[in-house]
Amino acid sequence: MSHAIRLRFPATAVLIGLLVTTPNRGHAQAAGAGIRLELATAVAGAAQAFRDGLRDFDNVTPVAANVQFAKAIELDPSFGIARILHAMTAVGMNPTDREAALQRGLADAAKGSSNELLAALAFRELARGQSPAANNLFRAAAAAMPGEATLAYRRAVTVLALPERNLADRLVAMRAFITTFPDFAPARNAIAYDLWRIDDRAGALREAREYVRLLPDHVNSHDSYAELLQWDGQFDQAIAHYRKAAELDPKSIAAPDGIAEAQLLMGRTDLARATLAAAASSLSFPGDPGAHRRIATTFLADGNAKAALAELALAAEAAKSAANPGLEALLHFQMAWVDQFLGDGKTTAAHAAAAGKLGTGGLVPQAAALEAAARRDWAAAHQAVQTAIRQANAAGNAAAAGNLEVTDALISVLEGRTEDAMAALGRGNTVSFPARMAMVLAARAKGDVGTAQAIGDEILALRQLALVNVNAGLARGIARGSALTGKKK
């Protein structure tokens, strides 16, 4: 699992799992000997709930895991490690409350064995985002409890937190891990995505198949394999495994998302919308912003700005009703982009102004720049972005600065200064969907139809698509030649 809300692979500290006292499916131990952790809880059912949660957690289904961890600490409020895992998987928990829960969990774990305390320390640091410290603690815990597969796994997964380490280093660590624990299924998931990232597609698919073989009854094994099949262009097989994932977990939104993505990539956006509509009616509460955003992306892929804007407007209303101003701001900003580059431009300034009023952080200067550009106040637009770029660079945030350079490039395209646009892209994040979109639009503005078509074809060939990524849909719509920014000049 890898998408923003389709979490197939543990890419962040919050998605790192924990250890077990005895093996269960998905955690089979090849090394049957060795010291394992002895949990302090003696309350009937608490340890089993913890193990059930751990199985989901290790296999990157944290919402399901959180339910089990909640059950464990309900049965035994002094179950320290379970409380730490519950805090790590509690989506939307207030940071102050999360830290308090982590501290209480650590204090309770200290009443058990020294090994339980060591493990609790490791996961507390991981929950805080302190991956280098966590790696050192996992190293010590794995040495103290060599029979615990998950401890050794976490040590391997967190290798990237160490200085001057890369995916190749982590793959070496993961290969060493599966030599000792060949049947620990979640490791195959991690290896599969790492292999894909270094462009070993055959190896990635092989490991994903092994993940399914080792853990055929878990939603994430089928979901991960389906996603990699989708990325490889094997859409029919991908849909089959997405359907199996839906069968295993009828409440999962990841499976219908994946089916719709594959259908969109096959050119069947009508089927994609039908799939999403069916899922929204059975899985979501009325007016779910996420459902509207996904459907909007399918309309954008068709180049239908009017229908996409209508869905995004519904999403914004739902976000407003849910008292989520951050999401509401983002949706207005996305509507401004869509209207500016794929629509008629009549509501761009209004949506940008709303985004600036409701938003925070880096969204504010980008909204101000887009609002100024809609008024054709190019100097104010560039000034807003350049100020934000300087601030990002001063803070050492190169990624934010790179994304802002893309925004500046798009403004230069609107202004008709294509050379300036290409210079900004040279300093920006050239692999992002907005950057690719800027390249297409700049080439068109210069009259270089061949280059525009070639880059557009590259966009349409990209299969790593998440429907919640509105920019991906917008880029696909523009790549199809559905709009030209010069029409309003």
Side-chain angles (χ1 to χ4, degrees):
M1 183 175 284
S2 70
H3 289 173
I5 62 170
R6 291 166 56 194
L7 304 168
R8 300 184 178 93
F9 175 70
T12 65
V14 175
L15 300 179
I16 304 297
L18 190 56
L19 53 155
V20 292
T21 55
T22 58
N24 61 7
R25 286 194 75 180
H27 293 153
Q29 313 271 337
I35 299 171
R36 297 193 175 106
L37 179 73
E38 294 183 6
L39 297 172
T41 185
V43 177
Q48 186 59 53
F50 173 78
R51 295 185 189 107
D52 291 343
L54 176 61
R55 182 175 188 257
D56 284 327
F57 194 62
D58 272 346
N59 287 286
V60 206
T61 46
V63 175
N66 184 261
V67 172
Q68 295 300 326
F69 293 134
K71 180 180 177 181
I73 60 176
E74 181 181 358
L75 290 169
D76 183 356
S78 65
F79 197 166
I81 282 184
R83 187 171 297 278
I84 288 174
L85 266 292
H86 179 260
M88 291 173 71
T89 54
V91 177
M93 179 181 279
N94 180 285
T96 301
D97 293 340
R98 190 187 305 276
E99 179 60 24
L102 293 173
Q103 290 295 77
R104 177 179 172 181
L106 186 65
D108 287 339
K111 298 172 186 176
S113 68
S114 58
N115 281 349
E116 184 170 352
L117 177 59
L118 178 59
L121 279 166
F123 287 102
R124 186 193 67 169
E125 291 307 295
L126 205 54
R128 288 173 164 179
Q130 301 299 319
S131 296
N135 179 270
N136 288 331
L137 288 163
F138 282 125
R139 181 185 299 272
M145 293 165 276
E148 287 294 347
T150 309
L151 287 175
Y153 175 54
R154 301 311 160 195
R155 173 185 172 185
V157 167
T158 55
V159 158
L160 285 182
L162 301 178
E164 299 181 0
R165 298 296 179 92
N166 55 33
L167 286 178
D169 296 308
R170 184 160 69 182
L171 279 166
V172 169
M174 294 301 293
R175 291 296 188 194
F177 167 80
I178 64 171
T179 298
T180 304
F181 300 99
D183 295 332
F184 188 86
R188 304 293 180 162
N189 187 40
I191 293 171
Y193 280 100
D194 279 356
L195 287 173
W196 189 275
R197 290 176 183 122
I198 64 171
D199 206 29
D200 183 356
R201 298 186 176 191
L205 290 168
R206 182 177 62 252
E207 291 295 338
R209 283 194 298 273
E210 182 67 2
Y211 184 28
V212 171
R213 187 189 71 80
L214 290 170
L215 200 61
D217 64 340
H218 198 279
V219 59
N220 195 58
S221 65
H222 291 278
D223 193 58
S224 289
Y225 189 30
E227 183 173 51
L228 292 178
L229 287 167
Q230 173 188 315
W231 292 358
D232 197 51
Q234 301 183 53
F235 301 126
D236 289 337
Q237 291 188 53
I239 289 173
H241 281 277
Y242 281 134
R243 293 195 189 284
K244 180 62 177 179
E247 176 186 321
L248 289 167
D249 183 5
K251 295 182 179 180
S252 171
I253 190 61
D257 262 15
I259 293 170
E261 288 168 9
Q263 290 168 335
L264 184 153
L265 292 168
M266 295 168 75
R268 295 302 308 273
T269 51
D270 54 338
L271 288 179
R273 284 189 284 275
T275 296
L276 293 170
S281 66
S282 62
L283 297 175
S284 305
F285 55 87
D288 176 13
H292 291 299
R293 288 174 75 187
R294 293 173 175 88
I295 292 174
T297 298
T298 68
F299 280 120
L300 289 172
D302 285 341
N304 189 339
K306 183 177 180 180
L309 286 167
E311 290 293 335
L312 290 172
L314 291 172
E317 283 299 318
K320 183 177 182 179
S321 297
N324 189 339
L327 178 57
E328 187 182 356
L330 175 61
L331 288 162
H332 277 290
F333 184 65
Q334 290 173 334
M335 282 188 276
W337 278 122
V338 169
D339 187 55
Q340 179 67 69
F341 292 104
L342 203 59
D344 58 19
K346 294 179 179 179
T347 62
T348 301
H351 285 305
K357 182 178 179 180
L358 293 165
T360 59
L363 185 65
V364 175
Q366 293 192 73
L370 188 53
E371 183 183 5
R375 299 193 313 267
R376 300 176 65 83
D377 186 347
W378 309 119
H382 288 297
Q383 182 178 2
V385 178
Q386 289 300 321
T387 298
I389 290 172
R390 287 193 293 271
Q391 291 172 346
N393 283 325
N397 193 340
N403 290 332
L404 287 161
E405 291 283 7
V406 173
T407 300
D408 200 47
L410 285 164
I411 291 170
S412 291
V413 169
L414 291 171
E415 191 180 1
R417 295 167 56 180
T418 56
E419 295 303 323
D420 289 346
M422 297 310 296
L425 286 172
R427 300 186 294 270
N429 176 9
T430 57
V431 300
S432 69
F433 278 107
R436 295 170 189 267
M437 183 176 84
M439 293 176 191
V440 171
L441 294 172
R444 285 182 182 171
K446 292 173 63 177
D448 187 350
V449 178
T451 298
Q453 185 63 54
I455 299 171
D457 288 345
E458 290 178 4
I459 293 172
L460 296 174
L462 293 172
R463 304 186 189 107
Q464 291 180 241
L465 174 71
L467 289 177
V468 291
N469 187 345
V470 173
N471 286 334
L474 178 57
R476 291 182 71 85
I478 287 173
R480 290 186 183 280
S482 302
L484 294 173
T485 55
K487 64 187 176 186
K488 289 175 283 183
K489 293 183 180 178

